[in-house]
Each structure stands twice: as C-alpha cells, then as structure tokens.
Amino acid sequence: MESYDVVIFRPALPAAKLAASAERTASQGLKTWIRVRGEVAPFTGYAPDDHDLTFVRPEYAVDGDTVLVAFGTRAHDLDPTDKAGVARALAAWRPDLEVVDVAGHNWMTDEFSRETWPMQRPGQLTKYLAALQRPHGSIHFAGSDLATGWAGFIDGAVESGLRAARQVTDALCGS
C-alpha cells in the first residue's frame, strides 16, 4: 500500500478553497491534559500571551487524582507531552500541584492538520466559509472547522455533518 502526503483533486479545487487552505487559520496553540496528584478543588487560571499556558482548569477526577485541561497560544514554545515543561508552565498558577503525567498532540506539526482549533483571521470567515461548505463534484466537505455555528466544537461538527448529509441526499435523490 502506498502512502501519499497530499490529496490531488481532479478537477482542481476552486481558488477560494485553495486560498483558505494556504492562508491557514490564526490559531497556533496547544492543548494538553495534565494529571496531578490528589483531588483538586475547582479553579480557573488565565495568563497573558507571554506564558506557555494561558488557560487551565480541572476537568475530571481519576482514581484519586485530578486531570486538568490547559491551553497555550504558541505550540512551538511548549511540547504538550513534555512533563517537565508542562509542570513548569502549570507552576505559574499552582506550584503546589504535583504533575503525575501529561498527554497531548502537537497539531501544528501534524502532517495532516498543521493547525489547531479554528480561529479565523480577519476577513476569512466572510471570504471563504460559503466556498468551503460547497461540494466539489461528488465530494462533500464536513467538519467542525466548516460549521456555520460553533466552529471548533462537536456541535459544529454535527451541524456540518448534517449539512453535508443533506447535500449528499439531495444529490442522490436528484432534488
């Protein structure tokens, strides 16, 4: 089985789809999950953009420990799987917490994504969204990034999937 780095469309994708892909979104952040020792009372931490992590809060209790979710604005500054680095960043808020484990994925270096959650640059939404939502021949596009509402969330993915499913149904039924 061969592996390909790129999908080739024939006929080529419309200029608006290509331009949106080339411009990419503004978000270049990171998300990491942090397991800390013990049960932690609810808190929310915010920090300015010059910190490696700019948001953190507890999400789940697991076997007597707490799992936090944290975000940062620059994935190139912090590997979300680097336990020591994440622990240093978390210490800006909570030096009392012992980091047991971390998990995450660097979407900025992912060969298929190369970006994170949708955060449109000025003008991108009005310039490209309608074109991105349109089918290309028999190919229909869906995903949270293409949602009319709640882009970047599961609600947006469901909305976008429903739209694409209606388009496919209409195409198959000839309406």
Side-chain angles (χ1 to χ4, degrees), residues 8-25:
I8 299 170
F9 290 89
R10 289 196 178 96
L13 289 172
K17 285 187 190 310
L18 294 172
S21 176
E23 285 181 23
R24 300 173 56 199
T25 62

Side-chain angles (χ1 to χ4, degrees), residues 148-167:
T148 302
W150 289 103
F153 295 88
I154 190 66
D155 305 64
V158 170
E159 174 250 305
S160 178
L162 289 170
R163 184 195 67 254
R166 279 191 300 275
Q167 292 171 340

Side-chain angles (χ1 to χ4, degrees), residues 109-174:
T109 60
D110 183 284
E111 66 179 310
F112 299 108
S113 172
R114 297 179 303 143
E115 60 189 13
T116 59
W117 51 88
M119 183 65 61
Q120 303 299 323
R121 296 179 190 280
Q124 282 183 323
L125 186 65
T126 54
K127 190 193 280 185
Y128 299 126
L129 184 61
L132 291 170
Q133 291 176 336
R134 278 194 288 279
H136 181 65
S138 61
I139 300 171
H140 294 257
F141 299 89
S144 77
D145 293 13
L146 305 180
T148 302
W150 289 103
F153 295 88
I154 190 66
D155 305 64
V158 170
E159 174 250 305
S160 178
L162 289 170
R163 184 195 67 254
R166 279 191 300 275
Q167 292 171 340
V168 169
T169 301
D170 290 349
L172 291 173
C173 294

Side-chain angles (χ1 to χ4, degrees), residues 70-88:
F71 295 87
T73 58
R74 294 175 318 280
H76 64 273
D77 286 353
L78 179 63
D79 176 350
T81 65
D82 174 13
K83 183 178 165 185
V86 170
R88 275 192 304 278

Side-chain angles (χ1 to χ4, degrees), residues 53-79:
L53 293 174
T54 54
F55 174 85
V56 66
R57 66 173 254 181
E59 284 287 309
Y60 310 103
V62 176
D63 299 328
D65 290 339
T66 303
V67 176
L68 313 174
V69 63
F71 295 87
T73 58
R74 294 175 318 280
H76 64 273
D77 286 353
L78 179 63
D79 176 350

